[in-house]
Amino acid sequence: MTQFKMHLLVCGGTGCRASESEQLFQSLKKEIIEKGLENEVQVITTGCFGFCEKGPIVKVMPDNTFYTQVKPEDAIEIIAEHVIKGRKVTRLLYINPETEQAVSDSKHMGFYRKQLRIALRNCGFIDPENIEEYISRDGYAALAKCLTEMTPAQVIEEMKKSGLRGRGGGGFPTGLKWEITSKSQADQKYVVCNADEGDPGAFMDRSILEGDPHSVIEAMAICGYCIGATKGIVYIRAEYPLAVERLKIAMKQAVEFGLLGKDIFGTGFEFEIDIRYGAGAFVCGEETALIHSMEGLRGEPTIKPPFPSVSGYLEKPTNVNNVETFGNVPVIINKGADWFASIGSEKSKGTKVFALAGKINNVGLIEVPMGTTLRDIIFEIGGGIKDGKKFKAVQTGGPSGGCLTEKHLDIQIDFDSLTAAGSMMGSGGMIVLDEDDCMVSIAKFYLDFTVEESCGKCAPCRIGNKRLNEMLEKICEGKGTMKDLDLLRNLSHVIKDTSLCGLGQTSPNPVLSTMDNFYDEYLAHIVDHKCPSGQCKALLQYVIEAENCVGCTACARNCPVNAIAGERKGVHVIDQATCIKCGACLEKCKFNAVFIK
Amino acid sequence: MSKITSLADLRNIKANVEAKMSLRERSESPESMVQIRVAMATCGIASGAKIVMDYMINELDKRNIPAVVTQTGCMGYCYAEPTIEVTRPGHQPLVFGYVDAKKADQIIGKYIMNGELLDGIIPVNYENIEGK
């Protein structure tokens, strides 16, 4: 058999697909056939490489060459130069922003060097639509081991020993959850995979389902074996069409191979998986709301207890785990709980996937051991702040989390240290903010989201968050008072203490943490009527410096509301009453005469 | 496709795809195995580097030696093409010149498998930025 001497891996994640990676895949294939290389070079679509900032990505194996921002028309050059002549196409290589030199391969990229990929182990490595490639990476071996060599109790013991905690945000020990559900007595139990990823900026669950769907299927079957369930349901948001498609393909293949269905591995164990679509409501990430949504009811949470492990879907014992949590399970079984427990910090074992977004150079998906410092994540892997600006804060945990500042950069992040610092792990979204971001506006941004997404069932969340939002709006407009600050804090605590579910219990966190860490900014808005970052429109004025103004009339001609008056070659003046603060004059002025006061 | 009913079936599938996946698996940790770079610039190709590369890939596979064979650009020894650079784990890279299938066979049998030196080594006159 002639072996392929080269594999071209093309990213087929949603991000890269949006920048024509499918067409790129086709042109690479076409070019290879045209040059008669189809027996030597293989083109494969994979899941997300994580380096979404510079997509579409093409990785050449075996030399690990990492091409970024590849367009379909670049296919000809890659084949002619790299594949045929062995010369890397330098202009497509990743450029290290610090040294401004092209980086020859992924082994030399800061982005990958500090990462440890467990949940993302197969993303960007295998073809997610090919079950054999998953099997070659020890896929379904964990399921086989559990079914043929271990009792459910032994598997649960192994999971408990590994120290794996729920990756959806709660951080509840997974093994314990399985154990509790396994002890509930019922004629039917359910395994539910929570793929209702709702945090703004988080997309690790989508990427795992797109890049390695079989790992989730395998883990769900293992969970079913442990708790005594024969049915699994994936609750996934309908906005993830590619993840749904790949999951469906994977499920079909698993059934064809006899890895789902009746008598799996000849042991008599049966397990099947269904898909339920969510309409994309944030509250449905909460497990009781999710279960109600699956039952066809309104997506509203109910009081726990009873916990889903006792009475969940259709009032049967139900075990709900997040996608990333499941993604870790097969590896733990294959490599052993001790191996997994050796990674990470004291109380948080293993790794965590983070979605880097905001004002950071390397926007993308990363996976690091628990206990890695924020500094390493933001400045080493993330490549630092965009445009050389100054780091101000990082928002972790989405709308439920808080802001961490410079003084937190060296904490080793895990579930507990983040909570202690006034934020939380959440599902792993990290939004990086620079000196130009106004912290009051950021708090308001998240409150806007929570107000929109509150299901309205309980008053503290429905009415309280609305009031918080109104107060923040008042402050952003410069109409806030010191009394509002006290009110903000008091109301926040009331909402946290009295809301029914996690959404309301955590929604004031962005307000509280910005007040704790950026009290000065709140004061500036209230006392000085100034927005230090120049973001709050009501608090800033555009003015023209008489000394610099040459009277070119460019600003006056471009002002959409005719707020600027002045003679040709004479000094211009902005009428503040008419000005809508659009910034057009600032943009057009070539003489640095317009500035923000 | 027949159904998988045992661990053995699963292992069979794994073994079948292994040949295909090994290229990717090995690239994950190239420093732990023999790395061979074949100079495949115009001069190299004209002198038969492609045949050498194919021979290397197939022969190493046949003898079950885990290795990563990559092609590279001109190494500058155009007089001695085809040239290949061989790095055994933990050793300095060695460059061999005038490599044909017969020579490649000797390189595999003597140097790669046993660490024996043989004729045709070109003294390295460059430093690699990757090593820095």
Side-chain angles (χ1 to χ4, degrees), chain A residues 154-461:
Chain A
Q154 281 172 329
V155 181
I156 288 173
E157 198 46 47
E158 193 74 2
M159 292 305 298
K160 279 167 77 178
K161 222 169 80 186
S162 74
L164 176 67
R165 292 169 68 174
R167 298 291 193 249
F172 192 82
T174 306
L176 188 60
K177 201 180 217 176
W178 289 15
E179 185 175 58
I180 296 167
T181 321
S182 77
K183 285 185 176 152
S184 298
Q185 297 297 326
D187 53 342
Q188 181 58 266
K189 296 183 191 177
Y190 294 95
V191 177
V192 172
C193 173
N194 183 350
D196 188 68
E197 190 172 41
D199 282 12
F203 54 99
M204 58 283 294
D205 293 347
R206 193 197 72 209
S207 289
I208 292 172
L209 285 170
E210 284 175 5
D212 194 15
H214 283 288
S215 69
V216 177
I217 293 174
E218 181 180 6
M220 286 178 74
I222 293 173
C223 178
Y225 175 67
C226 290
I227 66 168
T230 57
K231 286 198 165 69
I233 302 166
V234 180
Y235 183 86
I236 183 167
R237 35 180 58 209
E239 293 113 311
Y240 283 178
L242 186 62
V244 170
E245 188 192 315
R246 298 239 168 100
L247 183 63
K248 279 186 172 166
I249 293 171
M251 279 161 51
K252 194 167 157 260
Q253 288 173 344
V255 171
E256 278 168 15
F257 276 65
L259 297 164
L260 281 178
K262 289 197 177 8
D263 197 23
I264 300 170
F265 286 111
T267 57
F269 173 67
E270 67 170 276
F271 194 74
E272 56 180 53
I273 295 180
D274 240 345
I275 299 182
R276 289 295 152 79
Y277 302 104
F282 184 58
V283 73
C284 289
E286 200 282 337
E287 54 183 6
T288 58
L290 182 150
I291 287 167
H292 294 312
S293 170
M294 288 200 315
E295 290 166 339
L297 304 171
R298 280 181 69 153
E300 288 180 341
T302 42
I303 293 174
K304 296 190 270 192
F307 286 92
S309 51
V310 177
S311 171
Y313 181 58
L314 304 177
E315 295 178 1
K316 304 289 185 194
T318 304
N319 184 91
V320 186
N321 280 132
N322 153 276
V323 173
E324 191 190 331
T325 314
F326 278 130
N328 280 293
V329 171
V331 192
I332 293 174
I333 301 296
N334 280 332
K335 294 201 171 190
D338 293 331
W339 168 82
F340 191 79
S342 71
I343 302 161
S345 64
E346 198 195 334
K347 287 190 175 158
S348 305
K349 299 302 183 190
T351 55
K352 177 77 191 87
V353 183
F354 292 101
L356 296 182
K359 311 274 178 67
I360 190 160
N361 277 319
N362 301 341
V363 167
L365 208 58
I366 64 152
E367 183 171 353
V368 289
M370 294 274 191
T372 306
T373 63
L374 269 178
R375 193 183 295 282
D376 275 350
I377 293 178
I378 294 168
F379 292 96
E380 294 279 321
I381 300 170
I385 310 300
K386 264 206 171 110
D387 302 326
K389 298 244 173 160
K390 201 169 163 287
F391 169 79
K392 185 170 194 176
V394 54
Q395 216 283 345
T396 70
S400 311
C403 288
L404 300 171
T405 64
E406 190 125 31
K407 66 173 192 252
H408 299 112
L409 277 179
D410 289 309
I411 39 174
Q412 303 186 320
I413 44 172
D414 62 22
F415 286 107
D416 311 295
S417 67
L418 281 178
T419 310
S423 185
M424 66 183 279
M425 179 75 81
S427 58
M430 270 196 188
I431 297 179
V432 178
L433 309 170
D434 71 4
E435 50 192 321
D436 291 342
D437 288 306
C438 163
M439 299 314 287
V440 185
S441 308
I442 293 291
K444 192 175 166 301
F445 167 81
Y446 282 106
L447 250 289
D448 280 339
F449 180 84
T450 326
V451 167
E452 189 97 329
E453 293 292 339
S454 170
C455 75
K457 184 171 180 173
C458 68
C461 177

Side-chain angles (χ1 to χ4, degrees), chain A residues 39 54 149 161 237 418 573:
Chain A
N39 291 325
K54 298 279 184 202
E149 295 169 18
K161 222 169 80 186
R237 35 180 58 209
L418 281 178
V573 181

Side-chain angles (χ1 to χ4, degrees), chain B residues 16 34-35 52 73 76 85 90 103:
Chain B
N16 286 339
V34 180
Q35 296 177 66
V52 174
E85 182 197 80
K103 184 88 185 174

Side-chain angles (χ1 to χ4, degrees), chain B residues 47-48 51-52 55-56 81-82 97-107:
Chain B
S47 325
I51 301 162
V52 174
Y55 181 83
M56 279 282 184
E81 292 295 350
Y98 304 108
V99 183
D100 52 15
K102 197 172 142 221
K103 184 88 185 174
D105 189 64
Q106 287 172 359
I107 293 173

Side-chain angles (χ1 to χ4, degrees), chain B residues 114-127:
Chain B
N114 301 317
E116 271 174 58
L117 296 181
L118 57 152
D119 284 347
I121 295 174
I122 301 176
V124 177
N125 57 4
Y126 60 85
E127 273 184 277

